[in-house]
């Protein structure tokens, strides 16, 4: 591989303009493919085959009117007064016209619905009063016929008995109606103070298939049509859209990365080069991935993950090759030879490091969860593009820039000795022991919050406080109850068609109402074959609460004679997704740990080095989980990270973090410990080799880690909850792994292990292939000639 990359680097340097133009063409083609083939991104996380998905499919087949996606519009008066008659009429007309929009099946008028509910209650009360009067008259009539002759008295008794039977039948119907009213009495469309109203918008398509254009049309139509003095806010289901990929925070992260590069490299051109190549890689990788969205369902956060990874690894991989080339130029190596040699050595390490990230991301497909596997695949595409650009475009640009890649003050010293001071003594054993104990203690303390980590999906309460989703969520919670934000759809399947549906609704609904944490139950209809009855169930707490999750499990376990119950709805779907992701987490972690051991044994030809590296990865991973739990679930430092309403950790975040952080951890392990192995192989004592290897690699690894943290950290300030938590998790994970584990804990443990760190059984040493990650064999087979600076050909851009 090193020899091949050497040739690729030399070819790219000699054909620099051809390589540059080729990448510009590739970028143009990928953008064109996205514009012509790209489809609609989805903001709804779904997993086929879950209990919720099965109920949803059942409804789509047998009860289509209850299977369409829905969203909520919250109307409220601007000054907190009650709605006027004119405002109510205007909103009714507005919602009627909203229901006629393309893609919208219906939009309920809350005032009309609330009035109907009130009238129904009045009718039942009136019927009960009439029933009581009828019974009283019957009692009086029975007392009056006592003095009649026997024949007349018997005839009157039969007539009164018939009338009483009719009253009993009416009483049974009224009793059913009263039960249904009692179960649903806490469901309101208009708040008790008359200041807020909730309208439901039902779409023609399922929630996943509702297009952004349809949602935007509803928002625009309602916003433009609200009467004076009334404001409208929209729930997550209507407002969720494709998140902004690059904002102020992301740009700030790039600026910090640029400053880091400038400080390290000392030249503006050199600092700009890694950012330029990373941007080209992101452009190609993300647009090529988005071109797939026309053929597969792609979650809206997927391209954002590609941007994060493409920028971070793209900058780092270019930096590794650039740093090696600059050192060689200063030593007097001829320009094209230096580029080729840097590509064959550091480029070889880049390819290997990138391959570990690729394997970890593609392994997400073993979870069997479609959207997660697709996220891993898109991330892998972006990383692969970053690797290819690093070993082709970077050499081409280095050739065009010539010696201008060096600061002006260093160009005059080309060919002179630049050897730095190499450590001649190892660290003290006491210091190593103290560092190991302290580092381990810090990581364990950071990991403690992870013991209480709960998984879930964001709801309206996690959105920005000035967003319409947050305002809608809070208004509903305040005026109607927290559970109204996460209603459940319960479906009862009957063994045979029913003729008296009201009685069945009351019987089954009563059983549901008796379950803990149920606030209200309302029948919403039945299938055309009268074998499927659907209910809306309002939980006591919000969609992300532990009680609601338990309620879903209790309802599924509920035994109702003659009916099989299923649960669907957004809250139920989120719970199913979170539980399934939680179930696959140990499997995926096991796969990644196994890969880690195999890869590191091949690279370092050791048993203990892979074990310590893998244990360090696990420690940094759980420390990252602890940091995420403390910030996003417990609310610590919430004001700093925009967490105003703490909730569960994003359900797929731990799985994604395992894959990405594994790849990045192996990168840093490779660049640091390979230097230790090289020093040890050249005859340095094992403990001295640890310090020399750390000294040789710490500068570039420190800069690479700071760049990673800056790029990922820029996404922490996104307006989208998913992106905020993903950006924080990646930034905190790199911080913990690079600085606590790779720079402190691993060197200390390696020192304590001494020579035994490099122990490998002889039988295993014989069968393992020789993996030359750093391209040492290339350096031996390609001795370089140091040419004086004035003879260096310098190409101009």
């Amino acid at each position: 591989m090193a020899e091949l990359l050497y040739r690729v680097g030399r070819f790219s340097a000699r054909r620099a303009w051809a390589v540059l133009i080729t990448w510009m063409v590739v970028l143009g083609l990928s953008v064109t493919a996205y514009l012509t083939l790209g489809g609609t991104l989805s903001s709804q996380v779904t997993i086929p085959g879950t209990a919720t998905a099965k109920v949803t499919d059942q409804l789509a087949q047998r009860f289509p009117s209850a299977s369409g996606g829905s969203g909520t519009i919250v109307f409220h008066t601007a000054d907190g007064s009650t709605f006027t008659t004119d405002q109510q009429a205007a909103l009714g007309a507005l919602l009627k016209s909203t229901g006629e929009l393309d893609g919208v099946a219906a939009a309920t008028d809350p005032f009309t619905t609330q009035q109907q509910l009130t009238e129904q209650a009045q009718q039942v009360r009136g019927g009960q009063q009439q029933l009581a009067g009828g019974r009283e008259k019957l009692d009086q009539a029975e007392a009056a016929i006592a003095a009649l002759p026997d024949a007349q008295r018997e005839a009157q008794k039969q007539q009164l008995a018939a009338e009483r039977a009719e009253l009993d039948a009416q009483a049974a119907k009224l009793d059913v109606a009263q039960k249904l009213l009692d179960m649903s009495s806490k469901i309101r469309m208009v708040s008790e103070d008359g200041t807020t109203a909730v309208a439901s918008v039902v779409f023609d398509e399922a929630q996943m298939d509702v297009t952004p254009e349809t949602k935007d049309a509803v928002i625009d139509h309602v916003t433009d049509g609200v009467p004076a003095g009334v404001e409208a806010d929209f729930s997550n289901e209507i407002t969720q859209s494709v998140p902004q990929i690059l904002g102020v925070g992301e740009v700030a992260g790039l600026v910090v990365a640029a400053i880091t590069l400038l400080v390290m490299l000392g030249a503006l051109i050199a600092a700009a080069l890694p950012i330029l190549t990373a941007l080209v890689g992101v452009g190609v990788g993300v647009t090529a991935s988005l071109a797939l969205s026309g053929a597969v369902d792609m979650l809206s956060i997927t391209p954002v993950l590609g941007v994060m990874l493409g920028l971070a690894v793209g900058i780092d991989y270019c930096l590794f090759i650039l740093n090696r080339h600059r050192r060689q130029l200063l030593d007097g190596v001829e320009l094209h030879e230096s580029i080729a040699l840097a590509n064959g050595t550091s480029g070889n390490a880049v390819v290997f490091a990138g391959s570990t990230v690729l394997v970890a991301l593609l392994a997400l497909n073993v979870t069997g969860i479609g959207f997660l596997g697709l996220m891993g695949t898109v991330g892998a595409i972006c990383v692969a593009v970053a690797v290819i650009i690093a070993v082709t475009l970077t050499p081409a640009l280095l050739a065009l820039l010539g010696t201008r890649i060096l600061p002006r003050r260093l160009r005059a010293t080309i060919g002179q000795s630049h050897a730095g001071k190499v450590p001649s003594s190892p660290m003290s054993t006491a210091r190593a022991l103290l560092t190991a104990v302290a580092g381990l203690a810090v990581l364990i303390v950071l990991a403690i919050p992870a013991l209480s980590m709960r998984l879930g999906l964001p709801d309206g309460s996690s959105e920005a406080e000035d967003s319409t989703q947050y305002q809608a969520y809070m208004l509903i919670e305040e005026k109607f109850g927290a559970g109204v934000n996460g209603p459940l759809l319960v479906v009862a399947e009957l063994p045979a068609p029913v003729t008296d549906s009201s009685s069945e609704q009351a019987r089954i609904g009563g059983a549901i109402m008796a379950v803990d944490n149920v606030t209200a139950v309302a029948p919403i209809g039945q299938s055309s074959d009268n074998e499927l009855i659907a209910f809306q169930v309002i939980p006591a707490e919000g969609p992300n609460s532990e009680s609601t999750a338990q309620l879903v499990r209790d309802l599924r376990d509920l035994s109702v004679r003659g009916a099989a119950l299923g649960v669907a709805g957004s809250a139920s779907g989120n719970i199913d997704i979170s539980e399934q992701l939680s179930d696959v987490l140990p499997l995926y972690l096991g796969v990644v740990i196994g890969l880690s051991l195999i890869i590191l044994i091949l690279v370092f030809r050791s048993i203990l080095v892979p074990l310590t590296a893998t244990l360090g990865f696990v420690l940094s991973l759980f420390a990252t989980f602890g940091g995420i739990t403390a910030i996003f679930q417990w609310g610590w430092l919430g004001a700093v990270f925009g967490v105003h309403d703490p909730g569960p950790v994003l359900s797929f975040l731990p799985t994604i973090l395992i894959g990405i952080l594994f790849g990045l951890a192996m990168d840093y392990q490779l660049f640091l410990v390979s230097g230790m192995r090289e020093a040890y192989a050249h005859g340095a004592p094992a403990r001295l080799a640890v310090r020399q290897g750390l000294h040789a690699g710490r500068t570039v690894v420190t800069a690479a880690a700071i760049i990673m943290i800056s790029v990922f950290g820029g996404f922490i300030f996104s307006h989208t909850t998913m992106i905020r938590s993903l950006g924080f998790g990646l930034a905190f994970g790199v911080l913990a792994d690079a600085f606590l584990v790779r720079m402190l804990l691993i060197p200390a443990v390696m020192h304590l292990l001494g020579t035994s760190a490099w122990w490998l059984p002889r039988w295993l040493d014989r069968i393992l292939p020789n993996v030359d990650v750093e391209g040492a064999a290339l350096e031996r087979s390609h001795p370089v000639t140091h040419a004086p600076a004035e003879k260096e050909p310098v190409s101009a851009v």
Side-chain angles (χ1 to χ4, degrees):
M1 176 61 74
E3 180 66 33
L4 174 62
L5 290 171
Y6 174 88
R7 294 176 181 176
V8 170
R10 179 168 284 274
F11 174 85
S12 299
R14 290 179 172 176
R15 301 287 188 273
W17 281 110
V19 172
L20 180 60
I21 292 171
T22 299
W23 274 112
M24 293 303 101
V25 171
V26 171
L27 178 60
L29 291 174
S30 63
V31 171
T32 302
Y34 162 59
L35 295 176
T36 56
L37 302 176
T40 300
L41 300 180
S42 172
S43 56
Q44 191 78 16
V45 180
T46 61
I47 299 179
T50 62
T52 296
K54 291 177 182 177
V55 173
T56 302
D57 293 341
Q58 184 183 38
L59 286 171
Q61 295 174 1
R62 301 174 58 185
F63 198 175
S65 61
S67 64
S70 63
T72 301
I73 305 175
V74 182
F75 297 103
H76 57 100
T77 55
D79 58 1
S81 60
T82 59
F83 289 104
T84 65
T85 304
D86 291 341
Q87 288 172 337
Q88 293 180 21
L91 290 174
L94 175 62
L95 289 167
K96 181 180 179 180
S97 60
T98 302
E100 297 170 354
L101 295 175
D102 291 339
V104 178
T108 60
D109 180 351
F111 303 102
T112 302
T113 304
Q114 188 66 55
Q115 181 62 32
Q116 291 172 347
L117 292 174
T118 303
E119 291 175 355
Q120 289 174 5
Q122 291 173 347
Q123 290 173 0
V124 170
R125 285 196 297 270
Q128 289 173 336
Q129 291 174 356
Q130 292 177 0
L131 184 64
R135 290 187 186 280
E136 185 178 351
K137 290 180 180 179
L138 283 177
D139 291 340
Q140 293 174 354
E142 286 178 350
I145 64 174
L148 293 176
D150 292 342
Q152 293 181 2
R153 187 168 59 250
E154 190 63 29
Q156 287 291 330
K157 280 185 177 182
Q158 292 178 359
Q159 182 179 352
L160 292 175
E163 292 178 1
R164 189 174 292 279
E166 184 177 349
L167 286 179
D168 289 341
Q170 293 176 3
K173 290 181 179 179
L174 285 174
D175 184 54
V176 169
Q178 186 63 55
K179 287 181 180 179
L180 293 174
L181 284 173
D182 290 342
M183 289 189 302
S184 61
S185 61
K186 294 185 179 180
I187 299 178
R188 296 186 59 87
M189 302 293 106
V190 180
S191 62
E192 292 182 356
D193 60 6
T195 63
T196 310
V198 175
S200 177
V201 177
V202 181
F203 298 102
D204 290 330
E205 302 292 337
Q207 197 74 48
M208 267 289 289
D209 300 323
V210 181
T211 63
E213 291 77 14
T214 300
K215 296 178 183 179
D216 290 342
V218 171
I219 293 173
D220 293 340
H221 180 76
V222 172
T223 302
D224 293 340
V226 288
V230 176
E231 297 175 354
D233 289 300
F234 304 87
S235 69
N236 254 344
E237 293 80 8
I238 298 178
T239 55
Q240 281 181 338
S241 59
V242 179
Q244 185 181 14
I245 291 180
L246 284 177
V248 176
E250 292 82 353
V251 173
L254 282 178
V255 170
V256 174
I259 294 172
T260 304
L261 289 168
L262 186 59
V263 171
M264 177 189 176
L265 302 174
L268 186 61
I269 291 177
L273 181 61
I275 295 178
L276 175 63
T277 57
L279 289 174
V280 173
V282 166
V284 173
V286 172
T287 53
S289 301
L290 284 171
L292 301 173
S293 62
V296 296
D297 292 330
M298 185 177 291
L299 197 63
S300 58
I301 196 178
T302 303
V304 180
L305 177 64
V307 172
M308 286 185 184
L309 287 175
L311 284 176
V313 302
I315 294 174
D316 277 6
Y317 291 166
C318 177
L319 174 62
F320 294 141
I321 297 174
L322 170 63
N323 189 57
R324 181 66 173 254
H325 170 61
R326 279 162 49 98
R327 293 203 313 265
Q328 293 170 172
L329 274 185
L330 286 173
D331 289 338
V333 182
E334 187 270 333
L335 178 65
H336 287 177
E337 178 65 18
S338 175
I339 293 171
L341 191 59
N343 214 50
T345 52
S346 293
N348 192 41
V350 163
V351 170
F352 187 85
S355 299
T356 63
V357 182
L358 285 175
V359 170
L361 288 171
L362 291 174
L364 284 168
N365 288 280
V366 306
T367 62
I369 297 175
F371 81 87
L372 202 58
L374 185 60
M375 289 180 72
T377 302
V378 169
I381 291 172
C382 293
V383 172
V385 171
V387 171
I388 297 171
I389 279 185
V391 298
T392 56
L393 183 58
T394 298
L397 293 176
L398 289 175
L400 293 174
L401 293 173
T403 57
R404 285 179 295 173
I405 204 70
L406 296 171
R408 183 171 300 178
R409 60 183 175 80
L410 291 181
R411 295 177 203 167
T413 66
I414 291 177
Q416 301 176 12
S417 175
H418 294 85
K421 185 178 180 181
V422 179
S424 57
S425 61
M427 76 173 82
S428 68
T429 300
R431 178 183 174 185
L433 184 60
L434 179 62
T435 301
V437 172
L440 187 62
V442 170
L443 289 167
I444 291 175
V445 169
L446 288 174
I448 289 174
L451 296 174
S452 63
M453 183 172 66
R454 290 196 304 116
L455 300 182
L457 288 171
D459 54 29
S461 65
S462 59
E463 299 295 337
E465 290 182 289
D466 59 351
S467 67
T468 185
Q469 306 100 296
Y470 182 81
Q471 298 300 324
Y473 189 97
M474 290 295 112
L475 278 170
I476 289 176
E477 183 174 294
E478 177 187 353
K479 300 293 184 178
F480 302 94
V484 179
N485 277 309
L488 302 175
L489 183 62
V490 177
V491 175
E493 186 170 13
L494 306 174
V498 295
T499 54
D500 187 359
S501 60
S502 296
S503 296
E504 281 297 290
Q505 289 173 352
R507 181 179 70 86
I508 298 172
I512 295 173
M513 190 70 194
V515 178
D516 291 341
N517 298 310
V518 173
T519 298
V521 179
I524 58 175
Q526 60 193 56
S527 60
S528 57
D529 59 6
N530 293 328
E531 293 182 0
L532 206 66
I533 302 177
F535 300 86
Q536 184 186 58
V537 177
I538 306 299
E541 297 184 87
N544 271 326
S545 67
E546 293 183 75
S547 67
T548 301
Q550 184 60 47
L551 173 59
V552 171
R553 290 188 285 269
D554 291 343
L555 288 173
R556 287 173 176 162
D557 294 338
L558 181 63
S559 176
V560 180
R561 181 178 52 82
L565 298 187
V567 184
S570 297
S572 170
N574 291 350
I575 291 167
D576 286 346
I577 291 169
S578 300
E579 289 184 349
Q580 187 158 338
L581 286 167
S582 180
D583 291 341
V584 302
L585 195 59
L587 167 67
Y588 183 59
L589 182 59
V591 170
V592 167
I593 289 175
L595 287 172
S596 172
L597 289 172
I598 293 171
I599 290 172
L600 293 178
I601 289 174
L602 285 172
V603 172
F604 296 115
R605 307 186 73 81
S606 164
I607 296 296
L608 295 180
V609 170
L611 285 175
T612 57
T614 303
L615 180 60
F617 162 67
V618 173
L619 287 171
S620 65
L621 178 68
F622 280 94
T624 303
F625 290 170
I628 292 170
T629 303
I631 299 295
F632 291 92
Q633 183 176 315
W634 292 1
W636 290 8
L637 301 177
V640 176
F641 296 99
V643 182
H644 42 76
D645 290 82
V649 173
L650 180 63
S651 55
F652 56 83
L653 182 59
T655 312
I656 285 287
L657 288 181
I658 289 173
I660 298 174
L661 293 179
F662 161 74
L664 300 181
M666 295 307 101
D667 285 3
Y668 298 136
Q669 179 78 10
L670 171 67
F671 284 108
L672 285 173
V673 180
S674 60
M676 300 175 190
R677 177 174 174 79
E678 183 180 357
Y680 179 69
H682 283 90
R687 289 177 173 173
L688 178 58
V690 171
R691 191 176 177 197
Q692 289 179 346
L694 179 63
H695 176 80
R698 65 186 178 187
T699 300
V700 68
V701 169
T702 298
I706 292 173
I707 289 167
M708 285 266 187
I709 294 168
S710 301
V711 172
F712 293 145
F715 289 86
I716 294 175
F717 305 100
S718 168
H719 288 291
T720 304
T721 308
M722 290 186 182
I723 298 176
R724 282 204 305 271
S725 57
L726 183 58
F728 174 84
L730 289 172
F732 191 84
V734 171
L735 175 67
D737 193 88
F739 292 105
L740 286 178
V741 175
R742 307 302 153 188
M743 303 279 279
L744 292 177
L745 189 59
I746 292 297
V749 172
M750 292 282 288
H751 175 92
L752 295 174
L753 290 174
T755 306
S756 62
W758 304 107
W759 173 78
L760 184 69
R762 290 184 179 180
W763 66 268
L764 187 58
D765 186 48
R766 287 194 299 268
I767 64 174
L768 285 179
N770 187 27
V771 180
D772 181 21
V773 175
E774 286 288 354
L778 177 69
E779 291 184 297
R780 292 192 295 270
S781 62
H782 287 267
V784 296
T785 301
H786 298 294
E790 59 270 21
K791 294 183 180 179
E792 283 289 328
V794 180
S795 301
V797 177

